Amino acid sequence: MNPSHVECSICKTALNQVEMLKRAQEHVIESHYPFTLHGEIDEERSLFFENIISPQSLFNTVIIQLRSGLEASFKQRNRYIYYYTFDYPVGVFPNRQGGFCETKTIKIVCNYTRCQKCNHHWPSTVVTIYPCREF
């Protein structure tokens, strides 16, 4: 949903306030960028290609997409899950055979807020982002 099509002024305001806090950014960098990992790479961890997408570029893209009204795929516990697919591979995710698969898709986990006026749910803060299986 494009925010220009959002009728409710409170919803428009909520969308424009989607953010990614510093601690969430640090989590993504420390957990999903190989240049920050020490020792061996965990076979169960999704990793971004550091030479393809920088953390700042990733964070900017995610915020732009969420603020533009990216539709949530589903709700998981008290969070919404979003998927976004780039035009090029951005990372790898572990497969069941113990290796990794290249992917263009990222999973975005967000806390959400509910509009007091129209009851619509919108993302509020990004919790984490990581490469995942094509959705």
Side-chain angles (χ1 to χ4, degrees):
M1 176 181 292
N2 188 323
S4 64
H5 294 110
V6 176
E7 302 290 326
C8 175
S9 61
I10 296 171
C11 286
K12 285 182 186 178
T13 300
L15 265 179
N16 287 327
Q17 293 177 349
V18 175
E19 64 183 345
M20 184 166 186
L21 301 176
K22 188 75 172 164
R23 67 178 174 267
Q25 292 178 10
E26 290 169 354
H27 161 76
V28 170
I29 293 168
E30 290 170 7
S31 300
H32 299 290
Y33 274 89
F35 62 83
T36 59
L37 300 176
H38 303 289
E40 291 187 29
I41 292 177
D42 184 349
E43 293 178 7
E44 296 181 13
R45 184 177 307 252
S46 295
L47 296 171
F48 286 102
F49 295 143
E50 61 198 74
N51 59 333
I52 300 294
I53 189 160
S54 70
Q56 197 55 53
S57 179
L58 173 68
F59 304 148
N60 290 341
T61 299
V62 165
I63 293 300
I64 289 167
Q65 291 303 313
L66 290 170
R67 288 181 179 177
S68 72
L70 184 66
E71 291 289 328
S73 296
F74 59 91
K75 185 177 175 183
Q76 185 178 42
R77 296 185 207 123
N78 293 323
R79 295 187 169 142
Y80 275 117
I81 308 300
Y82 299 82
Y83 291 93
Y84 178 74
T85 301
F86 289 85
D87 294 331
Y88 49 88
V90 293
V92 293
F93 65 90
N95 66 25
R96 293 188 177 125
Q97 290 77 35
F100 289 93
C101 296
E102 197 171 87
T103 186
K104 298 177 182 180
T105 302
I106 60 173
K107 185 174 185 177
I108 307 162
V109 180
C110 292
N111 291 325
Y112 64 90
T113 186
R114 184 177 58 84
C115 177
Q116 299 299 321
K117 184 176 177 184
C118 69
N119 223 20
H120 195 94
H121 291 82
W122 296 107
S124 60
T125 55
V126 178
V127 175
T128 191
I129 311 163
Y130 54 88
C132 68
R133 178 182 328 271
E134 310 288 322
F135 191 74

